[in-house]
Structures are given as structure tokens and as C-alpha cells.
Amino acid sequence: MSLPAEQFDDATQQREAATLGMWSFIATEILFFGVLFAGYAFCRVEFPEAFKEGSRHTDLLLGTAETADLLISSCLIAVAVREVQLGGQRIATWLIGSTAALGLAFLVMHGFEYVSEYHEGLMPGIHYTQSGQGATAMQLFFCLYYFITGFHSLHVTVGVVILLVMARRTYRGDFDQDYHTPLEMSALYWHLVDLVWIFVFPLMYLIGRAG
Amino acid sequence: MMSLPQASSVASRVDTLFYAMLGLSAIVVIGVFTVIVWFATKYRHGSKADRTRADSKSPGLEMTWTLLPFGLFIVIFAWSIALFADMSRAPENATSVYVVAKQWMWTVQHEGGQRELNTLHVPLHQPTRLVMTSQDVIHSFYVPAFRVKQDVLPGRFTQLWFEPTQTGTFDLFCAEFCGTDHSRMIGSVVVMVPADYSHWLNEHVGPGLSERGADLFRHLGCSGCHDPHSGIHAPLLEGLYGRTVPLQDGTWVRVDDRYIHDSILLPAKEVAAGYEPIMPTYSGRIGEEDVLALIAYLKVIGGASHEQH
Amino acid sequence: MSSIDAGISGLPAEKPTTAPEGTYLTEQPGVLSWLTTHDHKRIAILYAVAITAFFFTGGLAAALIRLELVTPAGDLMTAESYNKAFTFHGVVMVWFFLIPSIPTTLGNFLLPLMIGARDVAFPRLNLMSWYLYITGGIFTIVCLLAGGVDTGWTFYTPFSTMFSNSHVILTVVGVFIVGFSSILTGLNFIVTIHTMRTRGMTWFRLPLFVWSMYGVSLVMMLATPVLAMTLALIALERLLGLGIFDPALGGDPLLFQHFFWFYSHPAVYIMILPAMGVVSELITASVRRRIFGYDFMVYSIMGIAVIGFLVWGHHMFVSGQSMYASIVFSILSFIVAVPSAVKVFNWTATLYKGDISFGAPMLYALGFVGLFMLGGLTGLFLAATALDVNLTDTYFVVAHFHYIMVGGAVMAYLGGIHFWWPKVTGRMYSEGWARFAAIIMFFGFNLTFFPQYLLGYEGMPRRYHEYPPQFQVLNVLSSAGSTILALSYLLPLGYLGWSLRYGPRASANPWRAQGLEWTVPSPPPVHNFDETPVVTDGPYAYEAP
């Protein structure tokens, strides 16, 4: 068990501080994405047809795969934390590593999406070849799409790095039943990343496709 | 002290509220200041005042000085809202004048076709309603002597009304930062007795707003599609103004100034049900003054009375 | 007059000591150790230096503005330069001076000390906050050198996104970055206050300064992300011609205003809450009494923090917003004034049966109470929609917010700097010079800004480079006042700087004040407390013998 950092009186205090810190951070993240979703809501009300049309141009297959990917990864990291709580180490290391791998896979899939969207001329400001009546408003959809998914992917990237570090630390035996706060906090962060995607997926990929 | 004239029907009411608040504030300031000076003197270090049994709390006192200000605030709020409601709602018989703000000038069009630049002539003791929009950025129409102000937005119509109670020439300022020459966007509002005002109107008459609109309707090619004999399937505009019509996405919209404005500049935004979105946009091809003229024309053929919304 | 004899406690100060061994200032010397420190006290000093530099650059812009406004004609600089000057003044003063000032300097230094902790919860994050602040600041300076930005600190669209020819994106990126500094500092403080209070330091035994840090941290954490995204949207709209805010593409400029003010109104409470916390400390120490109505003071701080999120629409009464929305925002704006009024009354009541000394900190505190009251009352004028129609976008508003931010927040900040100067530096400043500066600051301030209320009511709009001649007399008065004000800000730079080298050494508690920070040496050792303190009473327990 490692000593608490110098500013803390004991390990309990450190754990409380870390937990509150992570939840506070999550609250600020919700506000970040909240503004983006508010902007999205406003534009969707103003340009319903263009948004539906834009949504139909997203890659539903990849999007669904990415959703499944993140859901599974959240499950894996939760099990990993449980493992460590029960005293395990090897299996937990593999699980954490797999979560990171799934995160990486998510980024690769999303990269493919961006590349094909570029080729289809759906990148406003860079390569946008749509024409017709709704093209300008659809540009708005895609700007929001890249901003929100890009911002989200940034969070996924940070999460992958954090998870790899956590995997290494678990492998080296830094954590045990009594102390595994950094791992718990990393898992919490990963769940946030997953949760945001749960909102992004229907709003971006599914709106024009029902019925 | 205040050299600003009270030149509109609301000005004296605004000033009264202002002075009432000033009076109340003065009472509070003097009161608190007096108490502070009194305590600071009486209890200064080294004085022989009685300092025993100094309480550090008194819920009764706290509630008093919480609820008393709150009560006063409610009174002021109610008074202000009553006045604000009057300031926001133009009387039915107000004459409309159309203002287009642009960097860095005010253009004015009267219904009779009189056009002005950086000046606005209005009659005494009669309500005037300004229908305003901006060609570019946000501006704000501000006449201190009338105590009125309203931001002027691009892509939207905003309204301002007043009833002048003094003749004379009064400053018009732009009150929303709009770029380099924001501080030069100054004009005048000239208030004349009705006789002089009619005289002025007659002297400066031009093609009426709706006549100009009719001209534009032909020159810009609108009648090429919006005509029963055209081969293009486009909505007919006679009798349309003021009605509520269905849109392609299933919602309904009222055909008012805003809808017509947007239909000309952003035709793909709210397409009428049963029609293709093939109307070209006139954004960049005509200015806001011309849009106002077209709207005036459509009101005339729409068979509507001069309602504003 | 010896500064020691005229201490704010009125009691003879403890005898000066020699330099204490191993303080946070002397242990680990060298610039590199400062730039890589984890010590909250050193980080506070790092911030203080940077913030002072920004204050004076923002002040220089203000000086140019007041100089230009002496004459009605725009004869000192071009309209473009003037617009850039007031934009720079606003951006720097709001984001690089006022918002960080008290929390990152006094807050960073004192928070752990006041709650009996060794440091904040996340010291490395604290250092990162400082680097983020500096990075954001560099962007702003680069923008200035590259030609500046002319949109006003409020960046209204579509002017900022579609029409301005200046460096909007550079500025917006700088503010975006410094916003993260705010968020992380807020997060650090919240966690510190929740989890690191020493034994016996229950919530309702916290000094009011700590409560104000808590309130301000909540607002910083929850409001700043909204600003960050709004700025990002401006940048994207400008770069890519998006159309969220551009009516020509179907967007809505009012949406920008809602987003912007949703952050920027709570931002003004970020600026004032810490000042209120400082004033409570200054008054209790100078009056040697418990604060009157401690519980209500706490509720007021939290009330201001929460209700402050609900009033943003009062910046938009004439924007084209619906009349009904304006009515709602108006009543809420009246309500948010109530807790502030309660605080003013409580400070006044604290003087009753006190033992009052008038050192520089007390003069600043009393100056705050007076000027904040004037500024706050004029806020009520603006909350009344019918009056706001006439007064908004005029110099009345400029006067209102300067009374609160400069007459209020800056005076409180300076009062706090003086009060804790012995603790932070281990030196005493010259009381005579300090009082002199405080007094001329009060007069200079009023001469500068009171005429602006009159200008506003008479109809002079704000952000005017040139103006009609009827406004000249009041403008001249205001500019004259600003020279006195500028002098009063330069004086502390002089005598405080002088005291660093030549001032008498301070004892641990030269004011005989209550508070855990006064139980450690001046300056404190790196680890703050030799033994973890245990608290058995509420704050300001002055009646204890």
C-alpha cells in the first residue's frame, strides 16, 4: 500500500478527495457538452429537415459498432475494478488493457468515418460538395457533428492513455484491495466518456432513420 | 440638474420612477453611512463606550432587513413592469415607419414613400411605431429625450414606439457597438406639429412603399413564378398576408412580416406544403429596404389592413 | 510614524523578530524551483506577479481611453484603435485580472492555512492552473502585438463572427485556455474545503473567506465550461462560416447573447464573492468582534452564488428578447440583490460595540462597503426594466459595474493584500503611506466614476470614441479623477515594494487577529503547521482573553 500524498492526513482523506475531484470534474464536463447539445437542440428545431438529411449521411454501421464497442468496454472496466477490489491482479490487468484496446478501436473506426465523410464531400470548410436547398443548413449539422464527436474523441484518447497507465500500474502491483483509488477514478472517467456517447449516437446517427 | 427634455409620453413616467429610486437609494445610503460613522466614532479604539454584551446574531433583525428590502423591491418591480408593458405595446393607431440600420447610418422609409437618411420626422402628439431591421450587425435605436431604446437586429424585425410631446430636434444615437464608426452613427428625430408634418410629408413624397414593392415584384422576377399564368408551381400571394398556412414539415406558420422576409432571403427554411423548394434566394441581391417594400406590396395584395406583427 | 505602533489592532504589536529559519520563500532557492513548485504559497506569489502585470497593462488601456475622452473629438487615436483599446481593457481586466485576482492569490495562499491543512488537495493541478493562465495570457499579448481585437469583451455576433477584421480567434483561444485555469482552481478549492478541514473545523466554523472561496469555486466550475464552448463556437463560426449565430444563414444572434451571458453574469459574482469574503475578515480583525449574523452571511454567499445563475437575461432587456422573459429576469435580478443587502447590513452591525481601529485594511474595507452599496443600488435601477430601457448601453451601466468591480472588488483585493502582507512576506508596510493611498483612491475613484452615472442618464452611449459636445464637462471630470486613481494604484507598488527590502520584520500575528493563518510564523514554513491544529470554536473569537 502506498503512502498518501504529503498534503493528506491519511489514505481515507486522499480517497475522498480524489473521488470528489473526479465527480466535480465530471460535472464540468457535463456543462461543456451541455452547451453543445443546447446548440444542437436549437439548430435542430430551426432546421429539422436538414438535420434529418445530415443524419442520414452518417455511417450507421460504424456508429452502431462504436456504440457496442464503448458499452462493452465500460462493462470490462467495471469488472476490472471489481477484480481488484476482490484482490485480483492478472485478470484485472488484461481487462483494463482490453478496455484501452476497445477505446483505440473506437478511435480507428471513427477515423474511418471521418475519412469517408471527407471523400463524400461532407466536411464544411475543408471539403464540402453538397448542393441543393438544404445544403447550407446541413453544413450546420456537420459542423456540430465534427465538433461534438471530435471533442468526444479527444476525451476517448485521453481515456485510452489513462487506461494504459492504469494497466501498467495494476500489472506492477501498485493496487490492492485497500487502495486502488486511481483505478476507480479512471473507470469513472471512462463511464462518463461512454455516457456522453450514449447521447451522441441517437442525436447524430438515428434521427432521420426511424420509420 | 438634468438637461434632458421629457419629450415623449413615457418620459415623465420614466423619470418619476428614476427619481423615486434615487430617493429610496439616498435614504439607504445616508442611513447606512450615518450608522457607520456613528459606530465608527463611538466605538473607536480607546473610547469609553459600553461594549458589554455584544450580540453576534439576531434572527429578528436579520429577517427584518431581509424582508423589508424584498418588499420594497417587489413594489418597484411592479411599478416598473406596468410602465414597461406600456412602453412595449404600441397603441393600435400608431403610424408605422420603417427603419433599416446599417454600418454606420440610419435609413428611414415612411409609408408614403418619403425616405430619409439619419433623420426621422414625426408628428407631435401622435404615436409612431418603428419597424426596424439591420442590414448587417446589431445596432440599437436610442433617443434619450424620449427615454426609448431598442436593439435593431439583422434577420429580424424589432419594434419601438413613442408619442412625442414636445416639438424640436432630438438626438438619435446608436447604442450597440457596431464597429469602427459606431460613435458616428448619430442622427436626429425632428418633431413637428401635425400641420407642418403634413406639409413635410407632401414635400417629400415619393413612390409609396407598396408601389415600390410592386415595381420590385416585377423587376426582380417574382411575378415570373408567383403568377397564375406562369408555368411554375409557386404559391399565389394574393390574399395570403395574415393567413396561417401549412409547411412541408407538418407545422403551420402565420404569414407575417417575418415569414415573408425569411421566404425572400432564406426560401429553403420554411417551404410551403405541397411545393418544391426551388425558389432562389435573394440574399445579397436586395437590401433590407427593398424587402420592406416588397412586404408592403404583399400586404396590399394580401387584402390585409395595416396590421403589424 | 512607526508602522508597528499604528497597527490595525490598535494594540502594541509584538516585537519584530529576525528572519525566521526555513520559510516557504527561502527554502529551495532559484527560479527553477519556483517554476516547478507544488507549494500553494509559492503558486500564489507566481499568480500575484502575473496578475499585477496584467492589471497595469489593462490600466494603461484605461488611461488611453480616459485621455481620448477629454475632448469630444476623436483626436488622440483612430476609431479602430479606440475600439481595440476598450476591448483590450475589458478582456484583460475581466479574465486576466478580476476573475483570478483574489482566488488565485489570497485564496491559494490562505485557504489551506485557514482550514489547518498542509496544502490544497491537488498541488500539481494547482501549478498547472498557473501555467494555463500564463499560456492564455501569452495569446492575449500576442494578439495585442499583432494588432488587437475590436469587438468589445462581449464579442457580440454577427459583428465578431462575420464583420470584424481583427484578431478575434487569437483572443478567443487565449480566453478559452485561461478558462480552464479557472475551472481547475475551482475544482481544487471545492475538494480541499470538503475533505481537508482540520479536526474541529466544521462547516459552520469556517471563516467567511473560506465560504466565499467555496461559493466562488462552485460558480467558476459550473459557469466557465459554458464560456469555453461559446468561445469555441465563435471561433468555428468565424473560421468555417457556420451559421449558428448568423441570421443570413438562418442562425440567431440572440442565441449567442444567451450563451455568453449565461456565463458572464455568474462571472461578475465570481469577481465579487471573494471580495466580500475578504471584507468580512478585514472588518472582524479591525473591530475585534465576531461577525454579526454569521449564519446569514453564509446563506447570503451561497444564495448569491446560486441565484446568480438565473439572472443573465437582464443584460438583454432591449435585445429583442420577449417581454415575458424580461419580466422574469427582472424579478430574479431584484431577488439576487437581497443577500447582498443583508451582507452590507451585517457588516455595519458588526461595528456595534466593537473596538475599532482604522488601519489601511479597515479603510479599504469601509471604502468597499460604501462603494459596493452605491454600485449595488444602481444595479436595482438596471433591474427595473422600464428604467433599463433608457440606461442600458450608456455610461450609467459603465459606472455601475466599475463601482462594484473597482470600487468593490479591487479595493477589497488591496485591503486583503495589506492585511496579509506581513504573513505572506514577513514584513510590515508603511501604515502612513497605505492610509494615504487608500484615502486618495476613494476620492479618485468617486471623481472618476460618479460623473459617469450622470453621463449615462443624460444619454451618452458607451463605447463611443467621439461624443457630442454637451457631454464634455462630465467627461473631463471623470478623466481628472482617473489620474488621481492611477496615482493611488501606483503608490502601493512603491511602498509595498520598498517594504520587501526595508520594512520592519513582522511577527507571527502583528494584528493580534484570530484565524489559523496567524498561528504560524510570518512567512510560514513550507509545510504550514508544525502540529496539526485542532479547532474548538467558531471564527473571530475575539472575546476570548
Side-chain angles (χ1 to χ4, degrees):
Chain A
M1 165 154 62
S2 55
L3 285 167
E6 202 205 70
Q7 68 269 22
F8 295 115
D9 290 335
D10 52 46
T12 313
Q13 195 185 53
Q14 180 169 309
R15 184 162 183 273
E16 274 174 16
T19 311
L20 181 59
M22 181 49 75
W23 279 107
S24 304
F25 177 68
I26 288 177
T28 66
E29 292 285 288
I30 290 177
L31 274 144
F32 273 126
F33 281 101
V35 171
L36 294 177
F37 285 131
Y40 170 91
F42 170 80
C43 293
R44 168 102 179 263
V45 165
E46 288 294 303
F47 308 110
E49 286 306 320
F51 266 53
K52 283 190 213 154
E53 185 58 37
S55 169
R56 283 190 275 268
H57 279 89
T58 58
D59 190 328
L60 187 59
L61 184 61
L62 278 179
T64 311
E66 287 157 20
T67 309
D69 174 309
L70 282 184
L71 284 170
I72 295 172
S73 72
S74 255
C75 187
L76 291 181
I77 190 71
V79 174
V81 172
R82 189 75 190 119
E83 266 296 304
V84 173
Q85 282 172 343
L86 294 173
Q89 189 185 327
R90 271 201 77 214
I91 302 180
T93 309
W94 276 106
L95 287 171
I96 301 170
S98 307
T99 310
L102 281 175
L104 218 52
F106 174 93
L107 291 170
V108 167
M109 284 192 277
H110 218 84
F112 274 116
E113 273 192 89
Y114 286 158
V115 166
S116 80
E117 271 147 8
Y118 172 79
H119 286 306
E120 282 176 58
L122 289 168
M123 275 199 178
I126 299 174
H127 184 232
Y128 191 74
T129 58
Q130 306 303 308
S131 58
Q133 286 296 341
T136 324
M138 201 162 79
Q139 216 177 16
L140 207 49
F141 171 85
F142 275 101
C143 283
L144 278 168
Y145 166 80
Y146 291 116
F147 194 2
I148 294 179
T149 57
F151 199 50
H152 177 260
S153 296
L154 185 64
H155 284 76
V156 172
T157 310
V158 169
V160 166
V161 171
I162 291 176
L163 286 171
L164 288 172
V165 170
M166 288 301 124
R168 182 154 178 272
R169 291 189 68 183
T170 312
Y171 178 71
R172 283 178 21 188
D174 283 0
F175 305 129
D176 58 28
Q177 275 167 297
D178 298 310
Y179 173 74
H180 45 271
T181 312
L183 179 62
E184 272 182 308
M185 297 303 108
S186 308
L188 204 53
Y189 174 80
W190 191 256
H191 291 315
L192 167 76
V193 163
D194 185 23
L195 184 65
V196 171
W197 180 259
I198 303 286
F199 281 89
V200 171
F201 178 62
L203 290 179
M204 291 285 151
Y205 291 78
L206 297 181
I207 51 170
R209 292 181 157 131
Chain B
M1 176 175 69
M2 294 301 180
S3 55
L4 203 54
Q6 291 177 338
S8 81
S9 56
V10 301
S12 66
R13 289 175 67 188
V14 170
D15 282 357
T16 309
L17 178 57
F18 183 84
Y19 288 122
M21 289 204 69
L22 197 59
L24 273 168
S25 303
I27 293 173
V28 171
V29 169
I30 292 173
V32 173
F33 183 67
T34 308
V35 172
I36 289 181
V37 170
W38 171 32
F39 285 171
T41 322
K42 179 166 180 185
Y43 297 109
R44 70 191 180 285
H45 176 67
S47 80
K48 291 182 177 41
D50 173 23
R51 293 181 172 87
T52 58
R53 289 196 322 267
D55 290 320
S56 291
K57 57 171 137 186
S58 164
L61 199 53
E62 300 276 6
M63 289 316 287
T64 307
W65 65 41
T66 304
L67 294 174
L68 201 59
F70 181 64
L72 274 168
F73 293 167
I74 297 291
V75 169
I76 298 170
F77 164 73
W79 182 357
S80 156
I81 290 304
L83 179 52
F84 179 63
D86 288 346
M87 288 165 80
S88 309
R89 292 205 204 102
E92 291 289 314
N93 61 331
T95 319
S96 297
V97 176
Y98 302 88
V99 175
V100 176
K102 49 177 116 174
Q103 288 174 321
W104 288 280
M105 62 186 87
W106 302 98
T107 69
V108 175
Q109 301 178 94
H110 298 255
E111 296 238 356
Q114 298 83 354
R115 307 181 75 170
E116 312 189 63
L117 193 63
N118 291 329
T119 320
L120 169 64
H121 283 77
V122 289
L124 180 69
H125 290 316
Q126 285 170 26
T128 300
R129 169 193 11 240
L130 300 180
V131 177
M132 309 185 286
T133 187
S134 164
Q135 188 67 60
D136 39 44
V137 298
I138 301 181
H139 301 271
S140 191
F141 192 94
Y142 175 39
V143 185
F146 294 172
R147 313 288 187 278
V148 293
K149 183 188 289 117
Q150 174 62 51
D151 280 5
V152 181
L153 269 57
R156 260 188 67 172
F157 292 112
T158 53
Q159 288 194 19
L160 173 68
W161 84 272
F162 51 79
E163 182 183 310
T165 53
Q166 287 181 21
T167 53
T169 304
F170 305 103
D171 285 322
L172 160 64
F173 296 132
C174 175
E176 183 60 59
F177 179 69
C178 54
T180 312
D181 281 339
H182 166 61
S183 37
R184 292 201 177 147
M185 201 164 151
I186 297 186
S188 320
V189 179
V190 180
V191 182
M192 307 171 125
V193 293
D196 291 343
Y197 182 65
S198 310
H199 190 63
W200 181 88
L201 283 175
N202 289 330
E203 264 185 14
H204 292 87
V205 75
L209 207 54
S210 52
E211 283 170 51
R212 264 196 341 112
D215 250 356
L216 285 165
F217 194 78
R218 277 185 295 280
H219 276 119
L220 292 169
C222 318
S223 48
C225 297
H226 290 282
D227 186 274
H229 304 297
S230 98
I232 315 285
H233 182 50
L236 293 179
L237 306 176
E238 282 81 6
L240 188 64
Y241 189 86
R243 281 180 29 210
T244 309
V245 297
L247 297 179
Q248 229 177 33
D249 60 8
T251 57
W252 289 71
V253 78
R254 194 166 185 286
V255 178
D256 57 9
D257 290 13
R258 190 231 29 110
Y259 177 70
I260 298 179
H261 172 279
D262 286 356
S263 296
I264 297 174
L265 298 181
L266 296 165
K269 195 171 153 214
E270 288 157 296
V271 181
Y275 293 93
E276 295 295 306
I278 55 173
M279 175 172 160
T281 173
Y282 284 81
S283 170
R285 290 172 59 187
I286 62 175
E288 294 287 350
E289 293 106 315
D290 290 339
V291 175
L292 282 165
L294 283 166
I295 294 175
Y297 170 64
L298 287 176
K299 267 192 232 159
V300 166
I301 66 170
S305 57
H306 288 288
E307 276 174 46
Q308 286 299 329
H309 284 278
Chain C
M1 171 164 62
S2 159
S3 62
I4 304 169
D5 295 332
I8 67 161
S9 65
L11 303 167
E14 295 165 12
K15 281 288 169 231
T17 59
T18 51
E21 310 275 312
T23 71
Y24 78 96
L25 286 170
T26 55
E27 206 140 321
Q28 281 192 313
V31 174
L32 197 59
S33 77
W34 277 84
L35 292 176
T36 55
T37 183
H38 294 162
D39 185 352
H40 65 102
K41 301 182 287 298
R42 283 195 167 190
I43 293 176
I45 305 286
L46 289 174
Y47 268 111
V49 171
I51 280 168
T52 308
F54 274 111
F55 176 71
F56 282 105
T57 46
L60 204 60
L64 287 172
I65 292 171
R66 282 311 331 158
L67 202 54
E68 170 69 270
L69 292 177
V70 171
T71 59
D75 43 12
L76 183 67
M77 47 182 132
T78 62
E80 256 149 28
S81 300
Y82 182 82
N83 297 340
K84 290 175 179 176
F86 74 68
T87 304
F88 184 76
H89 173 72
V91 169
V92 166
M93 288 307 204
V94 168
W95 281 303
F96 293 92
F97 173 64
L98 277 165
I99 284 179
S101 61
I102 295 176
T104 61
T105 57
L106 297 172
N108 258 322
F109 196 94
L110 295 167
L111 180 59
L113 286 168
M114 283 185 168
I115 63 175
R118 276 185 293 287
D119 205 315
V120 292
F122 306 118
R124 285 173 299 186
L125 202 65
N126 206 7
L127 184 67
M128 184 160 105
S129 290
W130 183 77
Y131 277 106
L132 285 170
Y133 171 83
I134 295 296
T135 310
I138 289 175
F139 270 87
T140 310
I141 299 296
V142 166
C143 165
L144 174 71
L145 295 172
V149 62
D150 70 348
T151 59
W153 79 281
T154 47
F155 299 115
Y156 270 24
T157 60
F159 181 71
S160 65
T161 48
M162 298 291 160
F163 289 85
S164 171
N165 290 323
S166 59
H167 297 283
V168 177
I169 294 185
L170 210 51
T171 311
V172 146
V173 169
V175 178
F176 183 88
I177 293 174
V178 84
F180 282 97
S181 171
S182 242
I183 292 171
L184 294 176
T185 300
L187 190 150
N188 224 334
F189 283 5
I190 297 258
V191 177
T192 306
I193 297 173
H194 267 276
T195 61
M196 294 175 71
R197 285 165 289 123
T198 191
R199 276 225 341 253
M201 180 64 86
T202 58
W203 283 95
F204 279 80
R205 286 179 177 170
L206 287 170
L208 287 171
F209 180 71
V210 177
W211 272 109
S212 74
M213 287 299 104
Y214 187 72
V216 83
S217 298
L218 277 175
V219 182
M220 283 201 290
M221 262 190 23
L222 298 177
T224 318
V226 177
L227 174 74
M229 290 299 106
T230 309
L231 294 174
L233 287 172
I234 296 180
L236 280 179
E237 179 135 328
R238 206 170 151 80
L239 264 177
L240 304 174
L242 266 197
I244 292 189
F245 305 131
D246 182 12
L249 296 171
D252 185 1
L254 242 51
L255 182 66
F256 171 79
Q257 292 183 33
H258 282 291
F259 279 164
F260 179 80
W261 288 114
F262 186 81
Y263 160 78
S264 296
H265 191 83
V268 316
Y269 294 111
I270 294 177
M271 299 182 228
I272 201 62
L273 280 173
M276 292 172 156
V278 169
V279 167
S280 291
E281 302 297 318
L282 302 183
I283 289 184
T284 49
S286 303
V287 173
R288 306 193 64 74
R289 266 204 53 169
R290 291 192 193 251
I291 193 87
F292 189 89
Y294 175 86
D295 289 6
F296 273 81
M297 292 295 260
V298 172
Y299 301 143
S300 297
I301 290 175
M302 300 310 291
I304 293 172
V306 170
I307 305 176
F309 273 98
L310 305 175
V311 301
W312 78 90
H314 67 223
H315 298 270
M316 297 168 62
F317 285 151
V318 298
S319 66
Q321 156 176 283
S322 95
M323 183 176 87
Y324 302 103
S326 294
I327 292 176
V328 171
F329 282 118
S330 174
I331 184 64
L332 284 165
S333 303
F334 277 103
I335 292 174
V336 82
V338 173
S340 295
V342 167
K343 290 183 87 76
V344 170
F345 299 140
N346 275 294
W347 284 315
T348 307
T350 304
L351 299 176
Y352 183 63
K353 291 192 172 172
D355 177 10
I356 310 176
S357 306
F358 296 94
M362 184 58 165
L363 294 181
Y364 279 112
L366 289 175
F368 173 93
V369 173
L371 298 176
F372 172 75
M373 195 170 44
L374 282 174
L377 286 167
T378 52
L380 293 173
F381 285 68
L382 296 167
T385 339
L387 293 180
D388 187 78
V389 168
N390 194 41
L391 299 171
T392 192
D393 281 319
T394 67
Y395 262 85
F396 192 91
V397 178
V398 176
H400 159 73
F401 64 70
H402 280 95
Y403 261 82
I404 308 223
M405 296 205 281
V406 181
V410 175
M411 287 202 89
Y413 179 52
L414 285 167
I417 287 181
H418 284 77
F419 183 60
W420 283 292
W421 187 258
K423 179 57 56 189
V424 173
T425 65
R427 302 276 186 169
M428 301 296 286
Y429 57 83
S430 159
E431 189 63 40
W433 276 107
R435 286 175 178 167
F436 176 65
I439 292 171
I440 64 167
M441 189 180 297
F442 185 82
F443 284 109
F445 176 85
N446 277 305
L447 186 58
T448 310
F449 290 105
F450 198 85
Q452 294 185 9
Y453 282 129
L454 304 174
L455 275 173
Y457 197 73
E458 301 237 340
M460 179 171 171
R462 50 187 293 202
R463 298 173 165 173
Y464 263 37
H465 166 230
E466 44 186 60
Y467 55 83
Q470 70 255 31
F471 298 129
Q472 182 170 22
V473 172
L474 290 169
N475 268 295
V476 170
L477 284 174
S478 177
S479 295
S482 69
T483 55
I484 301 176
L485 193 59
L487 177 67
S488 74
Y489 288 136
L490 289 169
L491 282 175
L493 213 54
Y495 64 78
L496 288 177
W498 187 90
S499 81
L500 284 175
R501 186 84 193 275
Y502 302 108
R505 294 209 180 267
S507 60
N509 194 355
W511 314 128
R512 306 269 171 94
Q514 291 284 325
L516 287 176
E517 74 269 27
W518 299 108
T519 63
V520 299
S522 304
V526 173
H527 52 273
N528 293 346
F529 297 96
D530 285 329
E531 286 169 22
T532 310
V534 175
V535 172
T536 55
D537 198 353
Y540 324 121
Y542 283 96
E543 64 279 344

